[in-house]
Amino acid sequence: WQKREISNFDYLMYLNTLAGRSYNDYMQYPVFPWVLADYHSETLNLTNPHTFRDLSKPMGAQTVERKRKFIQRYNEVEKSEGDLSAQCHYCTHYSSAIIVASYLVRMEPFTQTFCSLQGGSFDVADRMFHSVKSTWESASRDNMSDVRELIPEFFYLPEFLTNANHFEFGCMQDGTVLGDVQLPPWADGDPHKFILLHRQALESDYVSAHLHRWIDLIFGYKQHGSAAVEAVNTYHPYFYGDKMDLNNIKDPLIKSTILGFISNFGQIPKQV
């Protein structure tokens, strides 16, 4: 990878596999980074550093104000291992079954998966994945319970962005009928162009030079411990599957609560 003999995409897939992530498990689906911060320009400038997301920081620390709020949350909660109010920056996760299914909801079998996870129906239209720009704004700035990252399909599969099956997702509060995913202006409304430019961004010189910082957060030494605290990158203890010894938990109610928590909210990849 350092010799540029394999692509950033291939390297990330390799790390995901090494960390136990798989297309066969929605709860441990491969996780990829947001690489761009520009979803409003008419043209995408991949030579401008400001075009890109800060890969050295998790999604919860992309703005100064957001980072301050999560640090405040961490400091306000006294440490209490095994409790739902345990000390952490984030009580939600960057990758979970519902996040994966929501991204891919326009394609089967993910449509049925999403509905089953939602209790048999689609979500309220305003909460459905409908716009790349608004999803970025939610995950990087606006929503304190949203720190989601991306999935590999954002870099190779244009079909997941179109409602080719004509599912009826309903209308948003402003009257917009949900259909195809709204793309940034620089994609010219073309899913193939979006995927092409997004993949170019992933393989760009800027991302190649900074990707290791994101890898440290997700797969490396900033995953937990003091380095994670310093990086504003700690999650609820239940998310660290390999750190939870369920065999030692005798109370079946507590055990089922933990398992339900993990299946609903996601798991940290194995540290590589």
Side-chain angles (χ1 to χ4, degrees):
W1 176 63
Q2 287 180 319
K3 293 177 182 176
R4 301 287 183 97
E5 291 173 0
I6 62 170
S7 65
N8 290 338
F9 183 93
D10 288 339
Y11 185 52
L12 287 171
M13 283 304 301
Y14 173 75
L15 289 174
N16 270 285
T17 303
L18 208 60
R21 314 296 284 191
S22 167
Y23 281 121
N24 299 322
D25 185 349
Y26 295 162
M27 288 183 284
Q28 296 193 76
Y29 208 76
V31 56
F32 268 58
W34 288 95
V35 292
L36 294 173
D38 182 355
Y39 297 97
H40 55 269
S41 297
E42 293 295 327
T43 56
L44 194 61
N45 182 359
L46 296 180
T47 62
N48 182 357
H50 296 294
T51 297
F52 298 92
R53 165 256 181 104
D54 187 341
L55 287 158
S56 69
K57 296 184 175 73
M59 290 304 292
Q62 289 297 307
T63 69
V64 174
E65 177 62 15
R66 187 169 162 91
K67 180 180 179 181
R68 183 190 64 77
K69 287 179 180 176
F70 280 120
I71 291 173
Q72 183 180 353
R73 172 195 280 178
Y74 181 90
N75 291 334
E76 283 175 353
V77 179
E78 289 187 14
K79 192 165 188 181
S80 50
E81 286 286 340
D83 181 30
L84 286 172
S85 60
Q87 186 177 34
C88 60
H89 294 108
Y90 315 116
C91 295
T92 54
H93 200 252
Y94 50 75
S95 176
S96 66
I98 195 67
I99 289 172
V100 173
S102 68
Y103 280 145
L104 300 173
V105 70
R106 290 162 179 79
M107 297 173 59
E108 290 289 14
F110 303 98
T111 312
Q112 295 305 315
T113 302
F114 183 84
C115 287
S116 65
L117 289 169
Q118 280 291 127
S121 62
F122 294 123
D123 199 357
V124 175
D126 286 81
R127 289 203 298 257
M128 296 280 287
F129 171 53
H130 66 277
S131 159
V132 179
K133 178 175 180 282
S134 66
T135 302
W136 159 254
E137 289 172 348
S138 171
S140 67
R141 187 187 71 201
D142 297 338
N143 188 345
M144 289 289 283
S145 63
D146 182 4
V147 292
R148 78 188 100 167
E149 293 279 6
L150 299 183
I151 54 175
E153 284 81 353
F154 273 85
F155 301 94
Y156 70 83
L157 190 71
E159 286 79 10
F160 88 96
L161 297 165
T162 60
N163 186 19
N165 292 316
H166 306 291
F167 292 115
E168 294 184 6
F169 298 117
C171 293
M172 297 173 65
Q173 286 185 340
D174 63 5
T176 303
V177 178
L178 250 64
D180 297 344
V181 176
Q182 296 170 12
L183 302 174
W186 44 259
D188 297 327
D190 181 352
H192 289 83
K193 185 173 182 180
F194 172 82
I195 295 294
L196 175 70
L197 292 173
H198 205 214
R199 183 63 172 265
Q200 287 178 1
L202 178 65
E203 304 299 342
S204 66
D205 289 341
Y206 180 90
V207 172
S208 296
H210 295 85
L211 187 57
H212 64 285
R213 297 182 181 278
W214 182 83
I215 290 168
D216 287 341
L217 294 168
I218 307 299
F219 302 108
Y221 79 103
K222 291 184 179 178
Q223 212 187 58
H224 50 74
S226 58
V229 175
E230 194 175 325
V232 195
N233 192 44
T234 65
Y235 297 81
H236 194 283
Y238 291 171
F239 294 149
Y240 298 87
D242 56 341
K243 299 286 184 289
M244 294 295 300
D245 189 359
L246 292 172
N247 294 324
N248 287 334
I249 298 173
K250 304 303 180 191
D251 189 323
L253 186 61
I254 293 175
K255 185 180 282 191
S256 67
T257 300
I258 293 172
L259 288 171
F261 200 92
I262 293 167
S263 64
N264 283 322
F265 295 107
Q267 254 177 292
I268 302 287
K270 289 176 185 169
Q271 190 175 33
V272 298

